Amino acid sequence: MTTTATKKQLHRIDLIFNNDDDCKEILRNALSRSDQEIVNEMVNSGLKGRGGAGFPTGLKWKLTAESKEKEKYVICNADEGEPGTFKDREILTRVPHKVLSGMAMCAKIIGAQKGYIYLRGEYKFLVPDLKKELRKFHDILDELGLDFRVEIFLGSGAYICGEESALIESMEGKRGEPRNKPPFPSVNGFKGKPTVVNNVETLAHSYTILKFGAKKFRDLGVKDSRGSKVFSVSGDTPIPGIYELELGMTVQDFVDDFGDGDCKAVQVGGASGFLVPRKRFAKTTIGYEGKLTGISLPTGGSMMIFNSSRSMYNVLNNYLEFFEEESCGQCTPCRVGCQQLLKGIKAVKRGEKPTSYLDQLLKLTETMKLTAKCGLGQSVANSFSSIVENFREEMIY
Amino acid sequence: MDFHEKLVQNLVSKHGKDRENLLPILQGVIDQERFLSEEAILKISKEMSIPAADVYGTASFYSFLDIEPRGKYVIRVCKTITCAMKGKNQIVLAIENFLKIKVGETTIDKKFTILQTNCLGWCHKAPAMLINDEVYTELSPEKVVDILREYKEKN
């Protein structure tokens, strides 16, 4: 069952984890340029949010900079909770200075004096090292005369707090329930003030862009999916781990490189992403283009590989248990929807409901997509429909 | 004045009375006592002038802010997809057999609690678990028993 994993290897990129530390020079250089120039550099790089949603980073900074409010905040979202994702921890462990530089640069442009790293409680063990790094970094900022301080805020085990408005609620000492949007955090964020919330990896990429310029970043990737991306690879693969790759590869290329030769399906983007079955490997690319059409899939970097020994029913069951627990319970479509989907597939599996009940459940996911308040409830449909439609036979008794 | 009062007072004076300090204060109580007792919640409510129901409502939202008594060492085994695929159930069984309690329960000497949790972010080194804040990865039933044996000898 072995195939040639080395036949056509994907190009490994070494921008994020290259342990260069030019924080001081990069920040000094950036401070000498106008804010407008740097925002343009960010916009031109084509960098999009690496947490999975893919909002253009330069635009986010620009929108927040435009607000006349005096008090603003920069938040680094390190509440990495999507099943199959572990890249942010690795970035914060190996190159925290890049993330901090990105935060400082953002702060300078939007006019924030205070920044936070919202670190998930599961990564509490990182705190001592991060604090050391913060002290070093604050010294650099003092030397450069930049009035900016970063603090760590610990989460307490809630997946939904990775959603930016839930994250802000949590930082305000409340239940991590997402807000209605608009207004977006760029207008009404932490303590009601304009706030940029960026993923760890996004901030680390901004270091690269400031160091090498927008062009070097833009030259990687395809059309609307520029740059490299850190992927968390797990499941049935002989080489699980973290890999920085160029955006725009097909799932087939990925599987040739990382699969165990018996790959049945790949889950792109974690439990809230899509399952790609073998017959679609060659036709599906990884990137933001054609977002959510199922032809090109955006991802926070979670790539989970399943070989033919795995039951897709068990996989879906596991995802739904996850969502049922992690749904914040605030809006009915998500709270009740997740429960009913889980109950529903169990009933079909046990033969208590006819197989046509799966179609009703598919309709329910469509409703959730339209009516749930935030990305959690809206995205349950992704994995549900891609698994049920492609592996219907496995769902049935 | 008992232990809670002092602990809560110290935490509140360290972090401040503003609402945005509620999570760090709750986390501080958990660090010391492993769970939030009714007395602790009432005391926090009083010190921070937040309704007790609101403090409880916030605490009960977060899976790491336990509101039920827990042992000194809280074991959280990851049950999400990759860990489940790589033998999580065998790990849980080994722990249950060794400690003679089930998931959700605490040993009689109040030393260990077994829980399951959602993705810990160690999918490439599955199966994984946390004991309090400490991470253990690439577990096997034998390895997990060795780890627990060490904890049993600790105070």
Side-chain angles (χ1 to χ4, degrees):
Chain A
M1 275 299 192
T2 51
T3 46
T4 47
T6 46
K7 210 198 285 171
K8 194 178 81 178
Q9 246 199 10
L10 289 167
H11 180 205
R12 305 285 202 271
I13 314 279
D14 187 25
L15 288 173
I16 293 259
F17 292 115
N18 180 358
N19 203 11
D20 49 338
D21 185 354
D22 310 319
C23 290
K24 213 190 287 180
E25 291 72 57
I26 287 172
L27 286 175
R28 195 189 314 253
N29 179 13
L31 286 172
S32 68
R33 297 162 70 189
S34 76
D35 293 350
Q36 190 57 49
E37 235 181 290
I38 292 172
V39 166
N40 286 344
E41 187 98 51
M42 291 298 291
V43 171
N44 290 337
S45 72
L47 174 61
K48 291 184 179 179
R50 293 300 200 237
F55 191 82
T57 308
L59 183 59
K60 198 183 253 187
W61 290 15
K62 191 169 168 242
L63 289 173
T64 316
E66 277 165 4
S67 161
K68 299 272 182 290
E69 284 269 5
K70 284 221 170 63
E71 197 182 328
K72 296 182 189 176
Y73 296 95
V74 180
I75 297 172
C76 167
N77 185 347
D79 192 52
E80 174 177 58
E82 188 63 50
T85 318
F86 37 91
K87 58 164 182 103
D88 291 341
R89 183 194 59 238
E90 201 73 7
I91 294 171
L92 282 174
T93 308
R94 285 161 62 183
V95 288
H97 57 278
K98 296 192 181 180
V99 180
L100 293 172
S101 302
M103 287 180 80
M105 202 28 47
C106 175
K108 191 236 168 196
I109 288 164
I110 67 166
Q113 288 83 44
K114 196 77 193 273
Y116 294 92
I117 298 175
Y118 188 103
L119 187 70
R120 69 188 303 223
E122 289 85 341
Y123 293 169
K124 191 176 169 191
F125 66 93
L126 288 179
V127 170
D129 283 348
L130 274 179
K131 281 199 169 154
K132 250 186 255 164
E133 204 61 40
L134 279 178
R135 274 195 292 276
K136 266 200 298 187
F137 189 71
H138 286 161
D139 287 344
I140 295 179
L141 294 181
D142 286 343
E143 221 184 298
L144 296 171
L146 192 64
D147 177 20
F148 181 59
R149 282 290 178 270
V150 180
E151 267 181 45
I152 299 168
F153 190 99
L154 267 180
S156 263
Y159 166 74
I160 189 58
C161 289
E163 196 279 342
E164 57 182 4
S165 66
L167 182 150
I168 290 168
E169 287 286 301
S170 170
M171 283 185 59
E172 291 178 353
K174 298 181 240 163
R175 294 165 68 86
E177 293 174 346
R179 296 174 176 173
N180 281 321
K181 292 194 248 182
F184 290 93
S186 55
V187 178
N188 181 7
F190 183 47
K191 297 190 204 172
K193 303 296 178 189
T195 304
V196 165
V197 184
N198 276 153
N199 170 261
V200 172
E201 185 190 344
T202 311
L203 290 161
H205 279 300
S206 66
Y207 172 98
T208 306
I209 293 164
L210 288 172
K211 179 167 177 174
F212 298 107
K215 189 174 176 304
K216 172 146 179 163
F217 189 81
R218 215 187 151 71
D219 283 348
L220 295 168
V222 292
K223 289 188 205 161
D224 289 331
S225 308
R226 296 292 175 177
S228 60
K229 171 91 195 76
V230 183
F231 289 92
S232 311
V233 182
S234 68
D236 296 314
T237 165
I239 44 171
I242 289 164
Y243 299 88
E244 187 178 352
L245 304 168
E246 214 172 323
L247 282 174
M249 65 187 168
T250 65
V251 176
Q252 186 66 56
D253 293 341
F254 174 81
V255 166
D256 289 345
D257 226 358
F258 293 95
D260 63 357
D262 184 24
C263 182
K264 170 180 178 179
V266 179
Q267 181 79 24
V268 179
S272 65
F274 291 84
L275 185 99
V276 183
R278 190 184 289 147
K279 63 181 180 220
R280 298 244 176 89
F281 284 173
K283 284 182 269 177
T284 310
T285 55
I286 308 297
Y288 303 100
E289 224 176 317
K291 200 178 161 187
L292 303 182
T293 58
I295 294 164
S296 175
L297 301 176
T299 169
S302 168
M303 303 290 279
M304 296 188 288
I305 303 177
F306 303 112
N307 69 19
S308 64
S309 72
R310 305 297 175 185
S311 149
M312 287 302 134
Y313 171 82
N314 287 343
V315 170
L316 182 59
N317 189 81
N318 189 289
Y319 293 167
L320 290 174
E321 280 177 359
F322 174 84
F323 285 127
E324 190 207 20
E325 272 179 32
E326 297 294 348
S327 169
C328 81
Q330 188 187 189
C331 76
T332 314
C334 178
R335 182 185 64 246
V336 180
C338 292
Q339 292 167 357
Q340 291 305 317
L341 291 175
L342 181 58
K343 256 175 86 178
I345 63 160
K346 284 185 171 163
V348 171
K349 191 72 181 175
R350 285 196 297 261
E352 293 161 9
K353 291 273 185 197
T355 56
S356 59
Y357 192 62
L358 288 173
D359 301 316
Q360 253 172 285
L361 295 176
L362 282 167
K363 263 194 230 162
L364 172 59
T365 63
E366 281 306 308
T367 306
M368 289 168 71
K369 203 191 226 171
L370 291 171
T371 56
K373 186 169 177 179
C374 80
L376 194 158
Q378 291 161 9
S379 61
V380 175
N382 298 346
S383 50
F384 191 91
S385 60
S386 55
I387 292 177
V388 169
E389 280 161 11
N390 290 301
F391 295 95
R392 195 179 173 97
E393 72 285 2
E394 293 190 32
M395 303 297 129
I396 295 167
Y397 176 75
Chain B
M1 197 159 72
D2 71 3
F3 187 49
H4 292 304
E5 304 220 345
K6 270 218 187 100
L7 174 63
V8 170
Q9 276 168 355
N10 289 342
L11 285 165
V12 172
S13 57
K14 181 182 165 199
H15 294 284
K17 287 178 187 253
D18 293 333
R19 176 76 192 236
E20 66 255 27
N21 301 310
L22 181 57
L23 247 63
I25 289 167
L26 293 171
Q27 288 161 348
V29 176
I30 293 277
D31 280 345
Q32 291 298 314
E33 316 210 322
R34 312 294 350 150
F35 87 108
L36 296 155
S37 60
E38 196 178 325
E39 301 84 69
I41 287 177
L42 288 171
K43 182 68 187 161
I44 292 170
S45 153
K46 204 170 132 202
E47 290 285 323
M48 298 184 77
S49 309
I50 303 171
D54 206 346
V55 176
Y56 177 85
T58 304
S60 59
F61 184 86
Y62 297 91
S63 65
F64 282 17
L65 300 179
D66 290 299
I67 40 182
E68 278 170 58
R70 300 290 188 217
K72 185 171 181 190
Y73 298 112
V74 182
I75 304 165
R76 289 186 159 89
V77 183
C78 177
K79 62 173 179 181
T80 310
I81 186 74
T82 315
C83 286
M85 278 160 56
K86 307 269 170 172
K88 178 272 297 180
N89 284 349
Q90 295 154 49
I91 304 302
V92 171
L93 274 176
I95 301 174
E96 286 180 337
N97 285 337
F98 184 71
L99 296 176
K100 311 263 185 303
I101 50 168
K102 296 281 175 205
V103 168
E105 294 176 349
T106 301
T107 50
I108 250 160
D109 60 2
K110 297 203 169 53
K111 199 158 178 188
F112 294 99
T113 300
I114 316 176
L115 299 173
Q116 299 196 60
T117 190
N118 282 325
C119 194
L120 289 174
W122 291 93
C123 321
H124 57 323
K125 293 182 176 172
M129 68 173 179
L130 282 176
I131 299 183
N132 292 350
D133 302 325
E134 208 69 41
V135 183
Y136 297 90
T137 59
E138 291 170 300
L139 298 171
S140 64
E142 297 76 28
K143 191 172 162 184
V144 83
V145 167
D146 286 344
I147 294 166
L148 290 179
R149 218 172 252 134
E150 273 178 41
Y151 272 88
K152 260 201 163 167
E153 281 159 23
K154 278 195 211 176
N155 270 319

